[in-house]
Amino acid sequence: MPGRTPTLPEVVTPVYPDGARGALPVTWTMPPDGRWREPGTVHVTGTATDPLGRLLPAKAVVTVDTFTSTLAGRAKTYVGGQPDLPTTVVGVGEHGGRAQLPVTWGAPPDGAYDQAGVTTLPGVAEVVDGTTVEATVRVQVTEPVPTNLAPDEDVAVGATFTESGYSPERVRNGDRTDKAWSNWKPGTKNPSDTLTFSLPGARDLTRVVTYFYRDGDNISFPESLKVQVQTVGGDWADASDDIPVGTEGSPVIDVPLPADAGPAAGVRVVMTARPSGYMTVSEIEVYAKAPGVSSDASAASIEVDGVPLADFDPDTTEYDVTGDPSRSEVTATPADPYATVTIHPDERTDRSVLVTVTSEDRDQTRDYRLRFVPR
C-alpha cells in the first residue's frame, strides 16, 4: 500500500535450462522509502545464492496500490461433494494494481452442492495493512465423473511383500498386461499379501479394479480378494466380501464400493493365496468421484463501461446500446466460471461488438451482439 514498505520474500525460484523449480535464499537491495509513496510498480533487485555459493541476480516486482475490491475466485466440485476453495483471490487497486490476497470463506448454505449449477459463496480478503475487502468465489457443481487416482504422484502405493526385481509402483503405470508386481519367493509362499494406496486427502471412492498377470503356465492368482477402505480417522473396514478369483486367462476383478462408505483416506486389496501358490498383478485402478466439465456457453451479465445491461437475458443474443463502440469498454461474466469470454469487433459492421462465450469443454459457443446507436 502507498507509504508502506513491503516485506519481500526470503527465497526466490531459480530457473534452470529445463525449467524453474526449488528455492534459493535471497538478499534484496531496497530502494529509498520514497519509492513506496505513490501507486505504481516498483522493481527491486537482489542477489540469490545457490548451494555452491554462486551469486545469481534476482528481481521482485512490487505492486503499490490501495486495494478496494477483488475478482471472483472459482472452484469445482460434484453433486454431493466438497470443493477445494482457493486460498487467495486477486485484489484490484484503485489505480489498477493487482495482487494475490489471502481470503477466508464463509460457510456454504445447506444443500449448496446438492445439484448441478453454480453456487456463489462470500468471503473476506485481507490486505497487508490488516484491512479487509469483500470477496466471492463461484463454485461449479457438475454430475460426478469417475477418475482413476492410482497414477497420481501424490498417491503412495506399497505392498506387504514384493519379489526382488518388481515394485508395487508398477501396478499403476497404465499397462494392464505387464508383470508389475509379484510375491514369489523360494520355499514357503506367503498365505496372503496386500497392496495399499494411501491418498493425499479424503476422496469418495467408487470402485477398485485389479488386473492379474498369468505367469506362464502357472496359476499366479489369489484364491480370493477383498477390498478394504481406510476412514479419515485411520481405521480400516471391509468394503467388499471375499471375492473368488477365477483361473481362466488373466482375471480382472472389478469391485464396486458401497455408495455410503463415506470419504476414504486409503484403499487396499487384500489377497489370499492358493495353497503353496504365489500371486502376480499387472495393474490396479482406484476410481473416485471427480468434477466434470461444463458445456454451458451462456453469459451471466454483460456490462458497458461498467454498467450492466438492464434488460439482459442469457437466452437473448441481440442488444441495442447507446454510445460509441470505439470509446466504450464492453465486459462480460460467463454463467459458468470455467467458460471463457472474448470481446471482439463485429466483422459485419463497425457499429457492433461481439461477446463470445466458449464453454469449458470447448464444444459450445454463443455470440452476443451489441449494436451501438448514437446518443
Side-chain angles (χ1 to χ4, degrees):
M1 296 186 66
R4 185 183 182 95
T5 301
T7 300
L8 298 186
E10 297 180 352
V11 297
V12 290
T13 303
V15 180
Y16 298 93
D18 60 347
R21 63 182 184 278
L24 297 178
V26 62
T27 300
W28 299 107
T29 302
M30 296 297 285
D33 289 344
R35 293 290 303 274
W36 312 114
R37 292 174 184 167
E38 301 295 330
T41 300
V42 178
H43 294 259
V44 182
T45 58
T47 302
T49 306
D50 73 6
L52 299 178
R54 294 176 297 190
L55 303 181
L56 302 171
K59 182 173 70 174
V61 181
V62 184
T63 300
V64 185
D65 211 332
T66 300
F67 294 95
T68 55
S69 64
T70 61
L71 300 181
R74 66 181 186 178
K76 277 175 168 282
T77 190
Y78 48 85
V79 174
Q82 292 293 324
D84 185 10
L85 299 177
T87 58
T88 62
V89 290
V90 177
V92 180
E94 292 179 345
H95 298 272
R98 297 193 176 192
Q100 295 289 334
L101 303 179
V103 64
T104 301
W105 301 111
D110 292 341
Y113 313 125
D114 286 352
Q115 59 183 9
V118 176
T119 296
T120 301
L121 300 180
V124 176
E126 184 176 350
V127 189
V128 291
D129 66 345
T131 60
T132 59
V133 290
E134 294 181 353
T136 57
V137 59
R138 303 175 67 216
V139 181
Q140 178 203 75
V141 185
T142 64
E143 294 298 328
V145 296
T147 185
N148 180 19
L149 303 180
D152 192 322
E153 63 181 14
D154 293 326
V155 174
V157 58
T160 50
F161 175 80
T162 303
E163 178 188 354
S164 176
Y166 299 93
S167 169
E169 283 288 341
R170 291 170 56 183
V171 303
R172 56 176 179 172
N173 64 5
D175 189 340
R176 296 173 174 176
T177 61
D178 69 338
K179 186 179 179 181
W181 174 87
S182 169
N183 77 337
W184 182 91
K185 64 178 182 178
T188 304
K189 305 299 187 286
N190 292 349
S192 176
D193 271 309
T194 299
L195 286 161
T196 302
F197 292 82
S198 298
L199 309 180
R203 297 294 298 267
D204 292 325
L205 303 181
T206 57
R207 49 194 276 258
V208 176
V209 187
T210 304
Y211 296 82
F212 288 100
Y213 177 84
R214 176 175 288 277
D215 196 10
D217 294 331
N218 299 307
I219 302 177
S220 53
F221 321 127
E223 189 168 66
S224 65
L225 67 75
K226 73 165 55 175
V227 173
Q228 296 179 329
V229 296
Q230 185 181 34
T231 66
V232 176
D235 297 326
W236 288 94
D238 291 346
S240 76
D241 296 328
D242 284 308
I243 301 173
V245 178
T247 60
E248 296 297 323
S250 296
V252 178
I253 306 299
D254 189 339
V255 183
L257 302 183
D260 58 355
V267 63
R268 62 192 185 190
V269 178
V270 182
M271 297 169 288
T272 300
R274 300 176 189 278
S276 301
Y278 68 101
M279 301 173 288
T280 52
V281 173
S282 291
E283 190 81 1
I284 296 179
E285 297 168 348
V286 178
Y287 288 92
K289 293 180 181 179
V293 293
S294 172
S295 59
D296 188 352
S298 62
S301 64
I302 297 177
E303 303 81 30
V304 177
D305 294 328
V307 180
L309 298 181
D311 58 347
F312 179 75
D313 183 310
D315 294 326
T316 301
T317 58
E318 303 276 345
Y319 294 91
D320 289 333
V321 296
T322 302
D324 184 343
S326 64
R327 299 182 179 180
S328 299
E329 181 184 23
V330 177
T331 56
T333 300
D336 181 84
Y338 289 86
T340 56
V341 173
T342 55
I343 313 293
H344 48 103
D346 187 349
E347 295 180 354
R348 301 188 310 183
T349 171
D350 60 5
R351 297 297 301 175
S352 295
V353 170
L354 286 180
V355 176
T356 301
V357 182
T358 304
S359 62
E360 180 189 15
D361 62 8
R362 317 301 293 176
D363 286 341
Q364 303 292 327
T365 60
R366 183 176 299 183
D367 288 332
Y368 295 89
R369 178 171 287 102
L370 275 61
R371 293 183 293 267
F372 283 80
V373 296
R375 298 184 185 276

